[in-house]
Structure formats: C-alpha cells, structure tokens
Amino acid sequence: MYYSRAIAYNEDSGTVFCVTKTNQIVQFEMKSEDASVIVDGHDGQIWALCISPKEAMFATGGYDNAVKVWDANSMKCVATYEFEITDDTPAKGYQFCSGHWSNDGDILAFGTEDSNIAVFTYRGGTLAFVRLLNMAVAK
C-alpha cells in the first residue's frame, strides 16, 4: 500500500508522479493506466514534489534533509543537495513538506516542517543552495 504525500501531473506527457511516506516515487500513465514504482527516492519519507515547467524533470524533498532532481525519462537522480546536521540546524532539521519549481525553470523553493523555505537554483545540471528563509511568525 502506498501512502501518498504529494502528487504532480505533467499535462504534456499525461504522467502523474506521486511520492510516498515509504520513500518511493510512483509513476502513473494516464493513457495506459499503468502504474509502477520507479525508484526508492530518499532515505526517509518523501513529502515534497514539483515538476519542471521547462524540461522533463521533477524534484523531490524528503524527511532525510535532502532535495533531489530527477530526469523524468530515465527516472535517474541527476542532482542532490543534502543538508548537514549541525548545532545551527533548525529544530526539525530540514524536513521538506512542500516544493515548487519557478515558471522560468531555474529556481526551486522547498518548505520545511518548521516554517523555513530553502531556495535553490538548478542551472546547467547543478543544484545549488541559495539561502534559507525563516517564515515563522513571531508570537
């Protein structure tokens, strides 16, 4: 049984990607109605998923403090950024729970469980961390 955490649909290809609580990425083809587990994607639960608006790629963020970019044709991971856990790490680490790829295709933003937003660029096949924004509302 798959416990889906995020779903993204590529209208051009008719493909639905789904990420699960059991660290899997599932691909579903709308035309043929075929579903398959394409990869065990992370070392922990995957909650964040977004599709590139420009290329046949998608990105995932998990509870393993990692963001990954995938080639949607080969289903291979092409880039990874994994945060190191240090004394300055937020209380819940970098547990990613949402993601979005910018319309121009070169900026990714992933939200964390403790209200941070991690901003990345993806250019020339390189995933680079830009900065962490703290969006927690002061009480």
Side-chain angles (χ1 to χ4, degrees):
M1 177 176 292
Y2 303 115
Y3 296 95
S4 177
R5 292 297 179 214
I7 297 173
Y9 175 61
N10 183 321
E11 187 174 3
D12 294 336
S13 67
T15 303
V16 175
F17 293 100
C18 182
V19 294
T20 71
K21 182 177 172 181
T22 55
N23 84 328
Q24 296 166 318
I25 301 169
V26 178
Q27 177 182 9
F28 180 78
E29 297 298 335
M30 297 296 281
K31 292 176 187 167
S32 64
E33 297 183 1
D34 289 332
S36 58
V37 175
I38 57 171
V39 69
D40 286 334
H42 286 256
D43 292 332
Q45 298 180 32
I46 307 170
W47 283 58
L49 170 67
C50 55
I51 292 178
S52 169
K54 300 287 183 180
E55 301 178 73
M57 307 189 98
F58 63 95
T60 56
Y63 268 34
D64 58 354
N65 305 302
V67 169
K68 297 184 178 203
V69 176
W70 304 85
D71 180 308
N73 294 319
S74 69
M75 303 308 164
K76 302 281 185 205
C77 180
V78 296
T80 299
Y81 188 93
E82 189 168 350
F83 286 92
E84 292 184 37
I85 303 304
T86 66
D87 291 340
D88 297 329
T89 298
K92 293 186 178 183
Y94 299 95
Q95 297 175 339
F96 296 105
C97 59
S98 62
H100 182 74
W101 209 310
S102 68
N103 292 341
D104 63 6
D106 69 345
I107 297 175
L108 294 112
F110 282 87
T112 69
E113 279 291 303
D114 50 3
S115 302
N116 291 308
I117 297 173
V119 180
F120 300 85
T121 57
Y122 184 73
R123 298 180 183 132
T126 301
L127 180 65
F129 174 66
V130 176
R131 65 186 283 190
L132 188 68
L133 306 170
N134 185 325
M135 304 308 290
V137 178
K139 293 183 180 187

